[in-house]
Amino acid sequence: MKSLLGKKIGMTQVFDEGGNMVPVTVIEAGPCVVTQLKTTQNDGYDAIQIGFGSLKKINKPKKGHLKGSSSRYLREFRVSKPLEYKVGQEIKLEIFKPGDILAVSGISIGKGFAGTIKRHHYARGPMSHGSKSHRIPGSIGGGTTPGRVYKGKGMAGRMGGERVTVPNLSVVNIDKAKNIILLKGAVPGKPGNLLELHKVGSAPSVDLNKKAEAKK
Amino acid sequence: MGIIGDIEEAQKKKETPKFKVGDTVKVFSKIVEGGKERVQGFEGIVIKRQGASNRKNFTVRRLVQGVGVERTFPLHSPKLVDVKVLRSGKVRRAKLYYLRERIGSRATRVEEGKESK
């Protein structure tokens, strides 16, 4: 399994080996602890559960489950052979190296109740010359035929605060001692957001066979 | 300092060339041409300096055949070799955008000032 949990720290810019400035997201990733093994016999599927972060107070049920560690966040990742791992084993940033391609998932920033322009990129109406249709969505469909509004029609509503996966972020640098990883590009959420990091390939040319393997 | 501050600090050069807005400078930067690396010079007036930490940069403006050309260099870039001050200028603005509207010799004229320390 080439996945880790991490915390978004923020963004900055660094120079790469070629001297070019690269926009990077700084993520504190790992160390993660294996907290549970799930097998087909027991649970119907193969996966491992890993924990990240720390808790000051742990209630008794969680204490029994964590067996010594104090993970705040628990997430499951599918693996083909969960018995290769041990409960209590640490997974660190060593599983990634600069040049790898990662996919990062997290909860995006909540935008609240947003209109159609922000939520669905609709065009705005004229702001002047007697126009009153400044930010309205416009027509939402036909008349007597079909006599209803089609399902999936873009309208105003809650935006953001949902799980988003950003594919194709390359690893710029790794600080193993500090558990810091730098990825080229932006990731969902604000600083402090919990992120899942999955390795999906390695640079410079993404080998499709390896990509399929990593997905397994 | 925070984690990001440490990363930025590590990117900074120990010493950067000293120059001010209004100075006429020659900037030496590395460029890759046909697989080979060489140093290229760019001469002009510094019209702005901006940014903080490792993101500091400056813009140099010059006239090439009557057409204004501006290039922005990151101050801490490993590609930036040196900045030589040819003539120090005395200006009353932090940003010399007014030079963009000027034509002819007035576009490159900046009063001579004290040597920057």
Side-chain angles (χ1 to χ4, degrees):
Chain A
M1 185 204 63
K2 298 269 182 140
S3 298
L4 262 188
L5 295 174
K7 188 175 88 172
K8 178 171 174 176
I9 303 292
M11 289 194 76
T12 182
Q13 300 173 332
V14 295
F15 294 103
D16 65 6
E17 310 90 63
N20 299 310
M21 209 161 213
V22 188
V24 292
T25 305
V26 182
I27 299 168
E28 191 182 335
C32 293
V33 188
V34 179
T35 50
Q36 196 183 359
L37 307 176
K38 302 227 168 180
T39 55
T40 316
Q41 291 92 328
N42 263 334
D43 310 278
Y45 60 98
D46 290 324
I48 60 168
Q49 187 189 60
I50 64 173
F52 171 69
S54 64
L55 280 172
K56 279 181 195 164
K57 281 182 189 170
I58 312 173
N59 61 24
K60 278 195 170 173
K62 201 163 191 189
K63 203 171 185 176
H65 176 70
L66 294 176
K67 292 174 190 74
S69 78
S70 61
S71 304
R72 181 167 173 192
Y73 305 104
L74 299 175
R75 290 290 182 275
E76 270 182 29
F77 293 120
R78 290 292 188 101
V79 291
S80 48
K81 287 167 186 160
L83 294 175
E84 284 179 353
Y85 297 88
K86 276 183 205 148
V87 172
Q89 181 190 340
E90 264 200 348
I91 303 173
K92 289 184 135 185
L93 261 180
E94 264 98 41
I95 57 174
F96 303 135
K97 60 178 188 299
D100 282 353
I101 306 293
L102 306 188
V104 177
S105 305
I107 305 292
S108 63
I109 297 173
K111 304 284 194 298
F113 192 96
T116 50
I117 295 174
K118 182 185 273 205
R119 198 172 180 222
H120 301 294
H121 304 299
Y122 282 15
R124 155 173 80 61
M127 297 306 279
S128 60
H129 299 293
S131 160
K132 291 175 184 175
S133 60
H134 306 312
R135 292 178 71 90
I136 64 169
S139 168
I140 56 167
T144 314
T145 319
R148 63 191 171 89
V149 175
Y150 287 127
K151 278 187 177 175
K153 174 72 199 148
M155 292 199 188
R158 287 277 182 97
M159 183 185 174
E162 57 183 3
R163 186 186 162 92
V164 173
T165 303
V166 183
N168 264 336
L169 296 170
S170 60
V171 178
V172 176
N173 208 348
I174 288 177
D175 188 340
K176 284 172 188 166
K178 288 181 184 169
N179 295 311
I180 298 290
I181 185 167
L182 304 186
L183 300 180
K184 182 181 175 182
V187 302
K190 289 195 172 182
N193 196 25
L194 179 73
L195 300 168
E196 291 175 18
L197 287 70
H198 304 282
K199 183 178 168 177
V200 290
S202 39
S205 56
V206 180
D207 194 333
L208 288 176
N209 294 326
K210 274 187 188 168
K211 207 172 175 178
E213 244 172 62
K215 268 185 186 166
K216 278 177 206 164
Chain B
M1 214 178 288
I3 294 164
I4 288 183
D6 290 341
I7 292 167
E8 288 178 354
E9 203 62 31
Q11 292 274 316
K12 278 160 81 170
K13 285 178 186 170
K14 272 181 191 155
E15 270 187 32
T16 50
K18 296 249 161 52
F19 59 92
K20 290 189 295 192
V21 170
D23 290 355
T24 306
V25 295
K26 189 162 188 182
V27 182
F28 297 94
S29 61
K30 288 182 203 162
I31 59 160
V32 177
E33 203 175 48
K36 271 185 189 170
E37 200 179 61
R38 68 177 185 88
V39 173
Q40 190 191 48
F42 186 82
E43 210 176 304
I45 300 170
V46 180
I47 63 161
K48 86 173 155 190
R49 295 189 64 154
Q50 64 168 24
S53 191
N54 68 332
R55 295 180 301 273
K56 272 185 186 162
N57 62 53
F58 61 97
T59 301
V60 179
R61 179 180 171 89
R62 67 171 297 185
L63 286 179
V64 180
Q65 290 170 357
V67 180
V69 176
E70 284 178 20
R71 263 189 86 178
T72 302
F73 300 90
L75 191 64
H76 292 281
S77 166
K79 280 184 175 173
L80 185 77
V81 183
D82 195 15
V83 180
K84 219 158 105 188
V85 179
L86 305 177
R87 189 171 167 272
S88 55
K90 187 183 166 193
V91 287
R92 293 185 167 201
R93 303 277 179 281
K95 308 279 155 72
L96 307 184
Y97 297 144
Y98 64 86
L99 291 178
R100 288 175 178 166
E101 282 136 38
R102 299 211 169 161
I103 305 161
S105 68
R106 276 173 56 105
T108 52
R109 202 159 54 195
V110 170
E111 210 181 317
E112 188 130 12
K114 281 179 194 164
E115 192 87 359
S116 57
K117 278 163 200 165

